[in-house]
Amino acid sequence: MNEALPDVPEVRVVGLPQLTSGFDLVERLDLPMHLKVHGPLEPLGGEKLARLAERINLRGRGGAGFPFHKKLRSVAESAIRRGVRPVVVVNGSEDEPACRKDTVLINRAPHLILDGALLCAEALGARRLVVGVTRESTQRSMEAALAERGLSDGRRSAIRARVQRNPVRMVTGAAASLIRSIDGGPAIPPGRKVSASKTGVGGAPTLLSNAETFAQLAIAARIGPDRYGHTGLYDEPGTVLLTVSGAVARPMVIEVPTGVPLRYVLQLAGAPPLLQGVLTGGYHGKWIDSATANEAIVSRNSLDHVGGSLGAGAILPIGRGTCPLGESLRVAQWLAEESAGQCGPCYLGLPAAARGLEDILHGGGPAALEALRQVAKNVRRRGACSHPDGSAMFIESTVEAFTDDLAAHVLGNGCGRPVEGVLPLFGGGRAPTGVPGGAAGDTGPGRQKIHVDWTLCRGHGLCADILPEVFELGADGFPTVARAEIPRYAEAKAMRAVRRCPALALRIEEETRTQAPPRNLPVLSQGRGRRAAGR
């Protein structure tokens, strides 16, 4: 059984370090050490900065891979057209259990990220910088870095800079979620899709990109595009940060030049020589088989070409001793739980997809497989963010990549292998509370209760609209219960009710059930795939 990855795992480098320069000297590069290692950085004009980003083909390193120079120019044009100052936002929200590259950068080289962000702020004329994080360690490191530079959120500051801490949730990392939280709202996507480059923080044009993206820009601005291009591939120059975990002896974050064979990266992390497959890009990514992984190289174009994905830079091999469908089911259940609970295709569709994959494992036959494919298809492009799309892509990739195992489960008695939990999830590999699974217990009471604080309640009635499974209003317009158990399938909606209550009169408390029996995947009697509660 795997263990949750630490915030800062082992860090390795292939070739000459760029982003990880100085990591062999100190655990964290404070400002004086940062300047000793990297040297000073001269400002660049807006168009010169955009041309630099274009020449090195810099794309967002958070998963989407959007060209940075286009984003930079779009923000500048919107700001000029509207006559307002833009905002710069660094997205360091890394909430996927298998990703740690940005967390490592923020904890160990925060000033490299700030270099790139401040370079953009000066070029755009921005007077506001926000760094979004979700972990205590990244919050401490970035706040210390801002203090070391004398930056604060004070009104008299030349540039107002602060850290925005949000909860650890998969949807928190969405650009729209981070912008909404900076504006004082909940860290979940809004119901409409708006370009941050046009209307972002406070309605101003906002340059929002991933932490590694800003760090890469800072490296290129120092050494120039020609020297930057001497490393890696000609069409994707530079290095890439990868988080390698799964069935490996040494989970690590590793900086490699583009073009390095993927098999070499796996060997460095101690992956077994015989693999079933490799998940590329993280839990919104795609599986590739062992033969393909043996031939692939580390680059966005190469992985796309062979059916994989660079995505958020997570690489997760699995060995031949575990059931790949069972391993993927654990992830699918976690993805379903991570829904913001506000879009039907997401908070209903993703649990249905997880149940469909579980039906296949139970021997549901071809009908279960067809039902799963239909659910995954219906989820796509219908949510307020990319979470349902990425989750559906992961599930579709699973059934396409492991055809032999799929046939064994659909047409036979299973693949004969246990579920070992090699793909990391929060809490040591356990699925969070409230994952809809399909067994009778999942439709019954969960492990949470919702409470009404009568000293605060003003009878707005939103709780009954959002959570009719629990609340109904009496003749006086107030809820008829003060405390109630939340059904497992409705836990996401309960969280939404708590967030939306205008009077802040609702709270959720966890039930403690020490005698709850473990629930094993019924694939084989010796299966070890747990779905225990709690995260």
Side-chain angles (χ1 to χ4, degrees), residues 122-144:
E122 185 164 355
L124 292 169
R127 292 293 180 265
R128 190 175 179 192
L129 167 65
V130 183
V131 182
V133 300
T134 54
R135 302 173 187 274
E136 183 180 353
S137 64
T138 50
Q139 180 182 8
R140 286 199 308 266
S141 180
M142 190 53 73
E143 286 180 341

Side-chain angles (χ1 to χ4, degrees), residues 11-291:
V11 179
R12 297 284 295 275
V13 61
V14 174
L16 295 176
Q18 291 187 356
L19 299 173
T20 58
S21 293
F23 282 21
D24 58 332
L25 302 175
V26 291
E27 284 299 310
R28 178 184 179 276
L29 279 73
D30 60 13
L31 185 56
M33 180 59 73
H34 167 75
L35 292 174
K36 287 180 181 178
V37 170
H38 292 285
L41 180 60
E42 297 297 324
L44 295 174
E47 182 53 33
K48 190 173 182 180
L49 190 62
R51 286 199 301 269
L52 170 66
E54 187 172 10
R55 284 191 62 184
I56 65 172
N57 194 20
L58 180 61
R59 292 175 174 266
R61 301 299 178 92
F66 190 80
F68 188 79
H69 70 93
K70 292 184 178 180
K71 189 179 293 187
L72 190 63
R73 288 189 172 108
S74 178
V75 171
E77 291 167 2
S78 296
I80 293 171
R81 183 173 61 252
R82 293 175 52 190
V84 297
R85 288 191 181 274
V87 179
V88 175
V89 176
V90 177
N91 192 349
S93 308
E94 196 171 40
D95 305 315
E96 191 172 320
C99 294
R100 289 297 184 276
K101 67 179 184 67
D102 293 317
T103 302
V104 164
L105 270 182
I106 296 174
N107 273 284
R108 301 198 62 180
H111 289 285
L112 198 59
I113 300 166
L114 288 178
D115 277 348
L118 292 170
L119 199 65
C120 292
E122 185 164 355
L124 292 169
R127 292 293 180 265
R128 190 175 179 192
L129 167 65
V130 183
V131 182
V133 300
T134 54
R135 302 173 187 274
E136 183 180 353
S137 64
T138 50
Q139 180 182 8
R140 286 199 308 266
S141 180
M142 190 53 73
E143 286 180 341
L146 292 178
E148 287 163 6
R149 289 178 179 249
L151 296 174
S152 72
D153 198 25
R155 293 184 178 276
R156 295 183 179 180
S157 301
I159 179 167
R160 299 180 62 177
R162 70 178 182 88
V163 175
Q164 171 71 29
R165 171 87 179 273
N166 288 328
V168 179
R169 291 286 309 277
M170 187 75 165
V171 295
T172 300
S177 300
L178 179 53
I179 289 172
R180 192 177 185 187
S181 69
I182 293 170
D183 284 338
I188 58 176
R192 57 193 177 89
K193 294 183 178 180
V194 179
S195 170
S197 299
K198 296 181 175 62
T199 305
V201 175
T206 298
L207 178 68
L208 186 149
S209 199
N210 166 263
E212 184 193 342
T213 313
F214 285 108
Q216 292 282 3
L217 185 67
I219 294 291
R222 278 188 169 89
I223 66 178
D226 292 334
R227 184 177 164 194
Y228 188 93
H230 290 163
T231 300
L233 301 171
Y234 77 95
D235 58 342
E236 292 183 51
T239 64
V240 175
L241 278 182
L242 302 173
T243 310
V244 187
S245 63
V248 297
R250 300 179 301 278
M252 63 177 60
V253 168
I254 181 168
E255 183 181 12
V256 300
T258 56
V260 166
L262 181 59
R263 65 177 180 274
Y264 182 65
V265 173
L266 295 173
Q267 289 169 1
L268 282 177
L274 297 178
L275 297 172
Q276 283 197 85
V278 179
L279 180 59
T280 59
Y283 295 159
H284 279 177
K286 297 179 180 180
W287 289 99
I288 57 176
D289 61 31
S290 178

Side-chain angles (χ1 to χ4, degrees), residues 19 49 55 163 259 262 277 302 306 342 373 397 434 467 488 507:
L19 299 173
L49 190 62
R55 284 191 62 184
V163 175
L262 181 59
S302 172
V306 300
Q342 59 180 357
R373 285 173 169 158
S397 175
L467 197 61
R488 293 177 70 90
R507 74 179 189 277

